[in-house]
Structure formats: structure tokens, C-alpha cells
Amino acid sequence: MTELTDSVGDHWVPACGGTERPTRTRTGRTLLFMWNTTQGEHAYYDCERDIFLTDDEARAAFALD
């Protein structure tokens, strides 16, 4: 994935200047760390479910808590 536009029109690209790659989590989900060029913020994108995760959801997916 090189970029996407979400439901509110924000533009997202893979983080780290486009070099970020999808990561398989301990819980089996595939997430990609993305940068919102419109809002200037990061978020994890669930590649299989086609949704952005909240910080709490990302922590749960990585089994950090």
C-alpha cells in the first residue's frame, strides 16, 4: 500500500517517509503504521479489516497490556 484516503477525506501514507511495512502482531493481525498528511498524526491501520485503530486497540493487537 502506498497511500489511501479515509472516509472523511484525510490522506494517509506509510510512516517513516513511506518506508514502513506491514507488521504481523502477536494476536495475528496485520497492521501498518501510517502518517496522516492532512492532520499531522500517526495511527495504525488494520490491513485486513480496512480500519484505523485507536491507540488502545493497537496496544491490544500488539498484546502490550
Side-chain angles (χ1 to χ4, degrees):
M1 169 182 305
T2 58
E3 62 182 82
L4 62 86
T5 302
D6 66 17
S7 61
V8 294
D10 288 350
H11 182 250
W12 293 85
V13 295
C16 299
T19 62
E20 192 73 28
R21 298 287 175 242
T23 302
R24 173 81 62 189
T25 68
R26 292 178 185 175
T27 59
R29 294 168 81 173
T30 301
L31 304 183
L32 178 59
F33 196 49
M34 302 280 287
W35 173 250
N36 182 328
T37 63
T38 308
Q39 300 293 324
E41 60 190 19
H42 287 97
Y44 279 97
Y45 174 74
D46 186 319
C47 299
E48 291 140 4
R49 295 183 179 145
D50 191 27
I51 59 170
F52 284 94
L53 305 178
T54 65
D55 289 341
D56 289 340
E57 291 169 332
R59 288 182 67 76
F62 282 109
L64 296 175
D65 294 328

